[in-house]
Amino acid sequence: APASLQTLLSDPTIDHVPWLRPSASLAVPTPSAFFSARAATPVASSALYRAGALFGIDAASAAAVLALGARPGERVLDLCCAPGAKLCFVADLVGEGGVVV
């Protein structure tokens, strides 16, 4: 893992969320692990966040998206998209050939 990822993960304010795991049956790469940051953690100022390698989403939203099981090329209608974290995650899963509305 990149040094900046090692630094972030060694931060005592970052905790692994072991119960939130992507399904092995998903056809697209998904995060191999989810982590929780305490409120005071400056995640948005990290190099990983600025580079787009780290994304903030609450655990319940991530679990809902993983349960959906969206696949590349699919069309998904998101009726609960505000503020947009689930929508962005679904868009990553369906890829450029898919549609998220």
Coordinates of all heavy atoms in Angstrom, one line a residue:
A1 N 0.8 -1.2 0.0 CA 0.0 0.0 0.0 C 0.9 1.2 0.0 O 2.0 1.2 0.6 CB -0.9 0.0 1.2
P2 N 0.4 2.3 -0.7 CA 1.2 3.5 -0.7 C 1.5 4.0 0.7 O 0.7 3.8 1.7 CB 0.3 4.5 -1.4 CG -0.7 3.7 -2.1 CD -0.8 2.4 -1.4
A3 N 2.6 4.8 0.9 CA 3.0 5.3 2.2 C 1.8 6.1 2.8 O 1.6 6.0 4.0 CB 4.2 6.1 2.1
S4 N 1.2 6.9 2.0 CA 0.1 7.8 2.5 C -1.1 6.9 3.0 O -1.7 7.3 4.0 CB -0.4 8.8 1.5 OG -0.8 8.1 0.3
L5 N -1.3 5.8 2.4 CA -2.4 4.9 2.9 C -2.0 4.3 4.2 O -2.7 4.2 5.2 CB -2.7 3.8 1.9 CG -3.7 2.8 2.3 CD1 -5.1 3.4 2.6 CD2 -3.9 1.7 1.2
Q6 N -0.7 3.8 4.3 CA -0.2 3.3 5.5 C -0.3 4.3 6.7 O -0.7 3.9 7.8 CB 1.3 2.8 5.4 CG 1.4 1.6 4.5 CD 0.8 0.4 5.0 OE1 0.4 0.3 6.2 NE2 0.6 -0.6 4.2
T7 N 0.0 5.5 6.4 CA -0.1 6.6 7.4 C -1.5 6.8 7.8 O -1.8 6.8 9.0 CB 0.5 7.9 6.8 OG1 1.9 7.7 6.4 CG2 0.4 9.0 7.9
L8 N -2.4 6.8 6.9 CA -3.8 7.0 7.2 C -4.3 5.8 8.1 O -5.0 6.0 9.1 CB -4.7 7.1 6.0 CG -6.1 7.3 6.2 CD1 -6.4 8.7 6.8 CD2 -6.9 7.2 4.9
L9 N -4.0 4.6 7.7 CA -4.5 3.4 8.4 C -3.8 3.2 9.7 O -4.4 2.5 10.6 CB -4.3 2.2 7.5 CG -5.1 2.2 6.2 CD1 -4.9 0.9 5.4 CD2 -6.6 2.4 6.4
S10 N -2.7 3.8 9.9 CA -2.0 3.7 11.2 C -2.5 4.8 12.2 O -2.2 4.8 13.4 CB -0.5 3.8 11.1 OG -0.1 5.1 10.7
D11 N -3.4 5.7 11.7 CA -3.9 6.7 12.5 C -4.9 6.1 13.6 O -5.8 5.3 13.2 CB -4.7 7.7 11.6 CG -5.2 8.9 12.3 OD1 -5.7 8.8 13.5 OD2 -5.2 10.0 11.7
P12 N -4.7 6.4 14.8 CA -5.6 5.8 15.9 C -7.0 6.3 15.8 O -7.9 5.7 16.4 CB -5.0 6.3 17.2 CG -4.1 7.5 16.8 CD -3.7 7.3 15.4
T13 N -7.3 7.3 14.9 CA -8.7 7.7 14.8 C -9.4 7.0 13.6 O -10.6 7.3 13.3 CB -8.8 9.2 14.5 OG1 -8.2 9.6 13.3 CG2 -8.1 10.0 15.6
I14 N -8.7 6.1 13.0 CA -9.3 5.3 11.9 C -9.5 3.8 12.4 O -8.6 3.2 12.9 CB -8.3 5.2 10.7 CG1 -8.0 6.7 10.2 CG2 -8.9 4.4 9.6 CD1 -9.1 7.4 9.6
D15 N -10.7 3.3 12.2 CA -11.0 2.0 12.6 C -11.6 1.2 11.5 O -12.4 1.7 10.7 CB -12.1 2.0 13.8 CG -11.6 2.7 15.0 OD1 -10.5 2.4 15.5 OD2 -12.4 3.6 15.5
H16 N -11.2 -0.1 11.4 CA -11.7 -1.0 10.4 C -13.2 -1.4 10.7 O -13.6 -1.5 11.9 CB -10.9 -2.3 10.4 CG -11.3 -3.3 9.4 ND1 -11.8 -4.5 9.7 CD2 -11.4 -3.2 8.0 CE1 -12.1 -5.2 8.6 NE2 -11.9 -4.4 7.6
V17 N -14.0 -1.5 9.7 CA -15.4 -1.9 9.9 C -15.5 -3.3 9.4 O -15.8 -3.5 8.2 CB -16.4 -0.9 9.1 CG1 -17.8 -1.3 9.4 CG2 -16.2 0.5 9.5
P18 N -15.3 -4.3 10.2 CA -15.2 -5.7 9.7 C -16.5 -6.3 9.2 O -16.5 -7.2 8.4 CB -14.7 -6.4 11.0 CG -15.2 -5.6 12.1 CD -15.1 -4.2 11.6
W19 N -17.7 -5.8 9.6 CA -18.9 -6.4 9.2 C -19.3 -5.9 7.8 O -20.3 -6.4 7.2 CB -20.0 -6.1 10.2 CG -20.3 -4.6 10.5 CD1 -19.7 -3.9 11.5 CD2 -21.1 -3.8 9.7 NE1 -20.2 -2.6 11.4 CE2 -21.1 -2.5 10.3 CE3 -22.0 -4.0 8.6 CZ2 -21.8 -1.4 9.8 CZ3 -22.7 -2.8 8.1 CH2 -22.6 -1.6 8.7
L20 N -18.7 -4.8 7.3 CA -19.1 -4.3 6.0 C -18.0 -4.7 5.0 O -17.0 -4.2 4.9 CB -19.1 -2.8 6.1 CG -19.6 -2.0 4.9 CD1 -21.0 -2.4 4.5 CD2 -19.6 -0.5 5.2
R21 N -18.4 -5.8 4.2 CA -17.5 -6.3 3.2 C -18.3 -6.5 1.9 O -19.4 -6.9 1.9 CB -17.1 -7.7 3.7 CG -15.9 -7.7 4.6 CD -15.5 -9.1 5.0 NE -16.1 -9.3 6.3 CZ -16.8 -10.4 6.7 NH1 -16.8 -11.4 6.0 NH2 -17.3 -10.4 7.9
P22 N -17.6 -6.2 0.8 CA -18.2 -6.3 -0.5 C -18.4 -7.8 -0.8 O -17.6 -8.7 -0.3 CB -17.2 -5.7 -1.5 CG -16.0 -5.5 -0.7 CD -16.3 -5.6 0.7
S23 N -19.4 -8.1 -1.6 CA -19.7 -9.5 -2.0 C -18.6 -9.9 -3.0 O -18.2 -9.2 -3.9 CB -21.0 -9.6 -2.6 OG -21.2 -10.8 -3.3
A24 N -18.1 -11.2 -2.8 CA -17.2 -11.7 -3.8 C -17.8 -11.9 -5.2 O -17.1 -12.0 -6.2 CB -16.6 -13.0 -3.3
S25 N -19.1 -11.9 -5.2 CA -19.8 -12.1 -6.5 C -19.9 -10.9 -7.3 O -20.4 -10.9 -8.5 CB -21.2 -12.7 -6.2 OG -22.0 -11.7 -5.6
L26 N -19.6 -9.7 -6.8 CA -19.6 -8.5 -7.6 C -18.7 -8.6 -8.7 O -17.5 -9.0 -8.6 CB -19.3 -7.2 -6.8 CG -20.4 -6.8 -5.8 CD1 -19.9 -5.6 -4.9 CD2 -21.7 -6.5 -6.5
A27 N -19.1 -8.1 -9.9 CA -18.3 -8.3 -11.1 C -17.2 -7.2 -11.3 O -16.4 -7.2 -12.2 CB -19.2 -8.3 -12.3
V28 N -17.3 -6.2 -10.4 CA -16.4 -5.0 -10.6 C -15.6 -4.9 -9.3 O -16.0 -5.3 -8.2 CB -17.1 -3.7 -10.9 CG1 -17.8 -3.8 -12.2 CG2 -18.1 -3.4 -9.8
P29 N -14.4 -4.3 -9.4 CA -13.6 -4.0 -8.2 C -14.3 -3.1 -7.2 O -14.9 -2.1 -7.6 CB -12.3 -3.4 -8.7 CG -12.3 -3.5 -10.2 CD -13.7 -3.8 -10.6
T30 N -14.4 -3.5 -6.0 CA -14.9 -2.6 -4.9 C -13.9 -2.5 -3.8 O -12.9 -3.3 -3.8 CB -16.3 -3.2 -4.4 OG1 -16.0 -4.5 -3.9 CG2 -17.3 -3.3 -5.5
P31 N -14.1 -1.6 -2.9 CA -13.2 -1.6 -1.8 C -13.0 -2.9 -1.1 O -14.0 -3.6 -0.9 CB -13.8 -0.5 -0.8 CG -14.8 0.2 -1.7 CD -15.3 -0.7 -2.8
S32 N -11.8 -3.3 -0.8 CA -11.6 -4.5 -0.1 C -11.9 -4.4 1.4 O -12.1 -5.4 2.1 CB -10.2 -5.0 -0.3 OG -9.3 -4.0 0.2
A33 N -12.0 -3.2 1.9 CA -12.3 -3.0 3.3 C -12.9 -1.6 3.4 O -12.6 -0.7 2.6 CB -11.1 -3.1 4.1
F34 N -13.7 -1.4 4.4 CA -14.2 -0.1 4.8 C -13.7 0.3 6.1 O -13.5 -0.6 7.0 CB -15.8 -0.2 4.8 CG -16.4 -0.3 3.5 CD1 -16.5 -1.5 2.9 CD2 -16.8 0.8 2.8 CE1 -17.1 -1.6 1.6 CE2 -17.4 0.7 1.6 CZ -17.6 -0.5 1.0
F35 N -13.5 1.6 6.3 CA -12.9 2.1 7.5 C -13.8 3.2 8.1 O -14.5 3.9 7.3 CB -11.5 2.6 7.3 CG -10.6 1.5 6.9 CD1 -10.4 1.2 5.6 CD2 -9.9 0.8 7.9 CE1 -9.6 0.1 5.2 CE2 -9.0 -0.2 7.5 CZ -8.9 -0.6 6.2
S36 N -13.8 3.4 9.4 CA -14.5 4.5 10.0 C -13.5 5.5 10.6 O -12.6 5.1 11.2 CB -15.4 3.8 11.2 OG -16.0 4.8 11.9
A37 N -13.8 6.7 10.3 CA -13.0 7.8 10.9 C -13.8 8.6 11.9 O -15.0 8.9 11.7 CB -12.6 8.8 9.8
R38 N -13.2 8.9 13.0 CA -13.8 9.7 14.0 C -14.0 11.1 13.5 O -13.4 11.6 12.6 CB -13.0 9.7 15.3 CG -12.9 8.3 15.9 CD -12.2 8.2 17.2 NE -12.1 6.8 17.6 CZ -10.9 6.2 17.8 NH1 -9.8 6.9 17.8 NH2 -10.9 4.9 18.1
A39 N -15.0 11.8 14.1 CA -15.4 13.1 13.5 C -14.3 14.1 13.4 O -14.3 14.9 12.4 CB -16.5 13.7 14.4
A40 N -13.3 14.1 14.2 CA -12.2 15.1 14.2 C -11.1 14.7 13.2 O -10.2 15.5 13.0 CB -11.6 15.3 15.6
T41 N -11.2 13.6 12.5 CA -10.2 13.1 11.6 C -10.2 14.0 10.3 O -11.2 14.1 9.7 CB -10.4 11.6 11.2 OG1 -10.5 10.9 12.4 CG2 -9.3 11.1 10.4
P42 N -9.1 14.5 9.9 CA -9.0 15.4 8.8 C -8.9 14.6 7.4 O -8.0 14.8 6.7 CB -7.8 16.3 9.0 CG -6.9 15.4 9.8 CD -7.8 14.5 10.7
V43 N -9.9 13.8 7.2 CA -9.8 12.9 6.0 C -9.8 13.7 4.7 O -9.0 13.5 3.8 CB -11.0 11.9 6.0 CG1 -11.1 11.1 4.7 CG2 -11.0 11.0 7.2
A44 N -10.6 14.8 4.6 CA -10.7 15.6 3.4 C -9.4 16.3 3.1 O -9.1 16.7 1.9 CB -11.8 16.6 3.5
S45 N -8.5 16.5 4.0 CA -7.2 17.1 3.7 C -6.1 16.1 3.4 O -5.0 16.5 3.1 CB -6.8 18.0 4.9 OG -6.5 17.2 6.1
S46 N -6.4 14.8 3.4 CA -5.4 13.8 3.1 C -5.1 13.8 1.6 O -6.0 14.1 0.8 CB -5.8 12.4 3.6 OG -6.8 11.9 2.8
A47 N -3.9 13.4 1.3 CA -3.5 13.2 -0.2 C -4.4 12.2 -0.9 O -4.7 12.3 -2.0 CB -2.1 12.9 -0.3
L48 N -4.7 11.1 -0.2 CA -5.6 10.1 -0.8 C -6.9 10.6 -1.1 O -7.5 10.3 -2.2 CB -5.7 8.9 0.2 CG -4.5 8.1 0.4 CD1 -4.7 7.1 1.6 CD2 -4.1 7.3 -0.8
Y49 N -7.5 11.4 -0.3 CA -8.9 12.0 -0.6 C -8.8 12.9 -1.7 O -9.6 12.8 -2.7 CB -9.4 12.7 0.7 CG -10.8 13.2 0.5 CD1 -11.9 12.4 0.7 CD2 -11.0 14.5 0.1 CE1 -13.2 12.9 0.6 CE2 -12.3 15.0 0.0 CZ -13.4 14.2 0.2 OH -14.6 14.7 0.0
R50 N -7.8 13.8 -1.7 CA -7.6 14.7 -2.8 C -7.4 14.0 -4.2 O -7.7 14.5 -5.2 CB -6.5 15.7 -2.5 CG -6.9 16.7 -1.4 CD -6.0 17.9 -1.3 NE -4.6 17.5 -1.2 CZ -3.9 17.2 -0.1 NH1 -4.5 17.3 1.1 NH2 -2.6 16.9 -0.1
A51 N -6.7 12.9 -4.1 CA -6.4 12.1 -5.3 C -7.6 11.3 -5.8 O -7.5 10.6 -6.8 CB -5.2 11.2 -5.1
G52 N -8.7 11.2 -5.0 CA -9.8 10.4 -5.4 C -9.7 8.9 -5.0 O -10.5 8.1 -5.4
A53 N -8.7 8.6 -4.2 CA -8.5 7.2 -3.8 C -9.2 6.8 -2.5 O -9.3 5.7 -2.2 CB -7.0 6.9 -3.6
L54 N -9.8 7.8 -1.9 CA -10.5 7.6 -0.6 C -11.8 8.4 -0.7 O -11.8 9.5 -1.2 CB -9.6 8.2 0.5 CG -10.1 8.1 1.9 CD1 -10.2 6.6 2.3 CD2 -9.2 8.9 2.8
F55 N -12.9 7.7 -0.4 CA -14.2 8.3 -0.5 C -15.0 8.2 0.8 O -14.9 7.1 1.4 CB -15.0 7.6 -1.7 CG -16.3 8.2 -1.9 CD1 -16.4 9.4 -2.6 CD2 -17.5 7.6 -1.5 CE1 -17.7 10.0 -2.8 CE2 -18.7 8.1 -1.8 CZ -18.8 9.3 -2.4
G56 N -15.7 9.2 1.2 CA -16.4 9.2 2.4 C -17.9 8.8 2.1 O -18.6 9.3 1.3
I57 N -18.3 7.8 2.8 CA -19.7 7.3 2.8 C -20.0 6.6 4.1 O -19.2 6.0 4.7 CB -19.9 6.3 1.6 CG1 -21.4 5.9 1.4 CG2 -19.0 5.0 1.8 CD1 -21.6 5.1 0.1
D58 N -21.2 6.8 4.6 CA -21.6 6.2 5.9 C -21.8 4.7 5.7 O -22.1 4.3 4.6 CB -22.7 6.9 6.6 CG -24.0 6.7 5.8 OD1 -24.7 5.7 6.1 OD2 -24.4 7.5 5.0
A59 N -21.6 4.0 6.7 CA -21.7 2.5 6.7 C -23.0 2.0 6.2 O -23.1 1.1 5.4 CB -21.3 1.9 8.0
A60 N -24.1 2.6 6.7 CA -25.4 2.2 6.2 C -25.6 2.4 4.7 O -26.2 1.5 4.1 CB -26.5 2.9 7.0
S61 N -25.2 3.5 4.2 CA -25.3 3.7 2.8 C -24.5 2.8 2.0 O -24.9 2.2 0.9 CB -24.9 5.2 2.5 OG -25.8 6.1 3.0
A62 N -23.2 2.5 2.4 CA -22.4 1.5 1.7 C -23.0 0.1 1.7 O -23.0 -0.6 0.7 CB -21.0 1.5 2.4
A63 N -23.6 -0.3 2.9 CA -24.2 -1.6 3.0 C -25.4 -1.6 2.0 O -25.6 -2.7 1.4 CB -24.7 -1.8 4.4
A64 N -26.2 -0.6 1.9 CA -27.3 -0.6 1.0 C -26.9 -0.7 -0.5 O -27.5 -1.5 -1.2 CB -28.1 0.7 1.1
V65 N -25.8 0.0 -0.8 CA -25.3 -0.1 -2.2 C -24.8 -1.6 -2.5 O -25.0 -2.1 -3.5 CB -24.2 0.9 -2.5 CG1 -23.5 0.7 -3.8 CG2 -24.8 2.3 -2.4
L66 N -24.0 -2.1 -1.5 CA -23.5 -3.5 -1.7 C -24.7 -4.5 -1.8 O -24.6 -5.4 -2.6 CB -22.6 -3.8 -0.6 CG -21.3 -3.1 -0.6 CD1 -20.4 -3.4 0.7 CD2 -20.5 -3.3 -1.8
A67 N -25.7 -4.3 -1.0 CA -26.9 -5.2 -1.1 C -27.6 -5.1 -2.4 O -28.1 -6.1 -2.9 CB -27.9 -4.9 0.0
L68 N -27.6 -3.9 -3.1 CA -28.2 -3.7 -4.4 C -27.5 -4.6 -5.4 O -28.1 -5.2 -6.2 CB -28.1 -2.3 -4.8 CG -28.5 -1.9 -6.2 CD1 -30.0 -2.2 -6.3 CD2 -28.2 -0.5 -6.5
G69 N -26.2 -4.7 -5.3 CA -25.4 -5.6 -6.2 C -25.4 -5.1 -7.7 O -25.4 -5.9 -8.6
A70 N -25.4 -3.8 -7.9 CA -25.4 -3.3 -9.2 C -24.2 -3.8 -10.0 O -23.1 -3.9 -9.4 CB -25.4 -1.7 -9.2
R71 N -24.4 -4.1 -11.3 CA -23.3 -4.6 -12.1 C -23.0 -3.7 -13.3 O -23.9 -2.8 -13.7 CB -23.8 -6.0 -12.7 CG -24.2 -6.9 -11.6 CD -23.7 -8.3 -11.9 NE -24.2 -9.2 -10.8 CZ -23.4 -9.7 -9.9 NH1 -22.1 -9.3 -9.9 NH2 -23.8 -10.5 -9.0
P72 N -21.9 -3.8 -13.9 CA -21.5 -2.9 -15.0 C -22.6 -3.0 -16.1 O -23.1 -4.0 -16.4 CB -20.2 -3.5 -15.5 CG -19.6 -4.2 -14.3 CD -20.8 -4.8 -13.5
G73 N -22.9 -1.8 -16.6 CA -23.8 -1.7 -17.7 C -25.3 -1.6 -17.3 O -26.1 -1.3 -18.1
E74 N -25.6 -1.8 -16.0 CA -26.9 -1.7 -15.6 C -27.5 -0.3 -15.5 O -26.7 0.6 -15.4 CB -27.1 -2.4 -14.2 CG -27.0 -3.9 -14.3 CD -27.3 -4.6 -13.0 OE1 -27.2 -4.0 -11.9 OE2 -27.7 -5.8 -13.0
R75 N -28.8 -0.2 -15.5 CA -29.5 1.1 -15.3 C -30.1 1.1 -13.9 O -30.8 0.1 -13.6 CB -30.5 1.3 -16.4 CG -30.0 1.3 -17.8 CD -31.0 1.2 -18.8 NE -32.0 2.3 -18.7 CZ -32.1 3.2 -19.6 NH1 -31.3 3.2 -20.7 NH2 -32.9 4.2 -19.5
V76 N -29.8 2.1 -13.1 CA -30.3 2.1 -11.7 C -31.0 3.5 -11.5 O -30.5 4.5 -11.8 CB -29.1 2.0 -10.7 CG1 -29.6 2.1 -9.3 CG2 -28.4 0.7 -10.9
L77 N -32.2 3.4 -10.9 CA -32.9 4.6 -10.5 C -32.8 4.7 -9.0 O -33.2 3.9 -8.3 CB -34.4 4.4 -10.9 CG -35.3 5.5 -10.4 CD1 -34.9 6.9 -11.1 CD2 -36.8 5.2 -10.8
D78 N -32.1 5.8 -8.6 CA -31.8 6.0 -7.2 C -32.9 7.0 -6.7 O -32.8 8.2 -7.0 CB -30.4 6.6 -7.0 CG -30.0 6.7 -5.5 OD1 -30.9 6.6 -4.7 OD2 -28.8 7.0 -5.3
L79 N -33.8 6.5 -5.9 CA -34.9 7.4 -5.4 C -34.5 8.0 -4.0 O -35.3 8.7 -3.4 CB -36.2 6.6 -5.2 CG -36.7 6.1 -6.6 CD1 -38.0 5.2 -6.3 CD2 -37.1 7.3 -7.5
C80 N -33.3 7.7 -3.5 CA -32.8 8.2 -2.2 C -31.4 8.8 -2.4 O -30.6 8.5 -1.6 CB -32.8 7.1 -1.2 SG -34.4 6.2 -1.0
C81 N -31.2 9.7 -3.3 CA -29.9 10.0 -3.7 C -29.3 11.2 -3.0 O -28.1 11.5 -3.2 CB -29.7 10.2 -5.2 SG -30.7 11.6 -5.8
A82 N -30.0 11.9 -2.1 CA -29.4 13.0 -1.5 C -28.7 12.6 -0.2 O -29.3 11.8 0.5 CB -30.5 14.1 -1.1
P83 N -27.5 13.0 0.1 CA -26.7 14.0 -0.6 C -25.9 13.5 -1.7 O -25.2 14.2 -2.4 CB -25.8 14.6 0.5 CG -25.6 13.4 1.5 CD -26.9 12.6 1.4
G84 N -25.8 12.2 -2.0 CA -25.2 11.7 -3.2 C -24.1 10.6 -3.0 O -23.5 10.1 -4.0
A85 N -23.8 10.2 -1.8 CA -22.7 9.2 -1.6 C -23.1 7.9 -2.2 O -22.3 7.2 -2.9 CB -22.4 9.1 -0.1
K86 N -24.3 7.4 -2.0 CA -24.8 6.2 -2.6 C -24.8 6.2 -4.1 O -24.4 5.3 -4.8 CB -26.2 5.8 -2.1 CG -26.2 5.4 -0.6 CD -27.6 4.9 -0.2 CE -28.7 5.8 -0.4 NZ -28.7 7.0 0.4
L87 N -25.3 7.4 -4.6 CA -25.3 7.6 -6.0 C -23.9 7.4 -6.7 O -23.7 6.8 -7.7 CB -25.9 8.9 -6.4 CG -26.1 9.2 -7.8 CD1 -27.5 9.5 -8.2 CD2 -25.2 10.4 -8.2
C88 N -22.9 8.1 -6.0 CA -21.5 8.0 -6.5 C -21.0 6.6 -6.5 O -20.4 6.1 -7.4 CB -20.6 8.9 -5.7 SG -21.0 10.7 -6.0
F89 N -21.3 5.8 -5.4 CA -20.9 4.4 -5.3 C -21.5 3.6 -6.3 O -20.9 2.8 -7.0 CB -21.2 3.9 -3.9 CG -20.5 2.7 -3.5 CD1 -19.6 2.0 -4.3 CD2 -20.8 2.1 -2.2 CE1 -19.0 0.8 -3.9 CE2 -20.2 0.9 -1.8 CZ -19.3 0.3 -2.6
V90 N -22.8 3.7 -6.5 CA -23.6 3.0 -7.6 C -23.0 3.3 -8.9 O -22.8 2.4 -9.8 CB -25.1 3.3 -7.5 CG1 -25.8 2.7 -8.8 CG2 -25.7 2.7 -6.3
A91 N -22.7 4.6 -9.2 CA -22.1 5.0 -10.5 C -20.7 4.3 -10.7 O -20.4 3.8 -11.8 CB -21.9 6.5 -10.6
D92 N -20.0 4.1 -9.7 CA -18.7 3.4 -9.8 C -19.0 2.0 -10.2 O -18.2 1.4 -11.0 CB -17.9 3.4 -8.5 CG -17.2 4.8 -8.3 OD1 -17.0 5.5 -9.2 OD2 -16.8 5.0 -7.1
L93 N -20.0 1.4 -9.6 CA -20.3 -0.1 -9.8 C -20.8 -0.3 -11.3 O -20.5 -1.3 -11.9 CB -21.3 -0.6 -8.8 CG -20.8 -0.7 -7.4 CD1 -21.9 -1.1 -6.4 CD2 -19.6 -1.6 -7.2
V94 N -21.7 0.6 -11.8 CA -22.3 0.3 -13.1 C -21.3 0.8 -14.2 O -21.4 0.4 -15.3 CB -23.6 1.0 -13.3 CG1 -24.6 0.5 -12.3 CG2 -23.6 2.5 -13.2
G95 N -20.4 1.7 -13.9 CA -19.3 2.0 -14.8 C -19.9 2.9 -15.9 O -21.0 3.4 -16.0
E96 N -19.0 3.2 -16.9 CA -19.3 4.1 -18.0 C -20.4 3.5 -18.9 O -21.1 4.3 -19.5 CB -18.1 4.3 -18.9 CG -17.0 5.2 -18.1 CD -15.8 5.4 -19.0 OE1 -15.8 5.2 -20.2 OE2 -14.8 5.9 -18.4
G97 N -20.6 2.2 -18.9 CA -21.7 1.6 -19.8 C -23.0 1.6 -19.1 O -24.0 1.3 -19.7
G98 N -23.1 2.0 -17.8 CA -24.3 2.0 -17.1 C -24.9 3.4 -17.0 O -24.3 4.4 -17.4
V99 N -26.1 3.4 -16.3 CA -26.8 4.7 -16.2 C -27.3 4.7 -14.7 O -27.9 3.8 -14.3 CB -27.9 4.9 -17.2 CG1 -28.7 6.1 -16.9 CG2 -27.4 4.8 -18.6
V100 N -27.1 5.9 -14.1 CA -27.7 6.1 -12.8 C -28.5 7.4 -12.8 O -28.0 8.4 -13.2 CB -26.6 6.2 -11.6 CG1 -27.3 6.4 -10.3 CG2 -25.7 5.0 -11.6
V101 N -29.8 7.3 -12.5 CA -30.7 8.4 -12.5 C -31.2 8.6 -11.1 O -31.5 7.7 -10.4 CB -31.8 8.2 -13.5 CG1 -32.8 9.4 -13.5 CG2 -31.3 7.9 -14.9

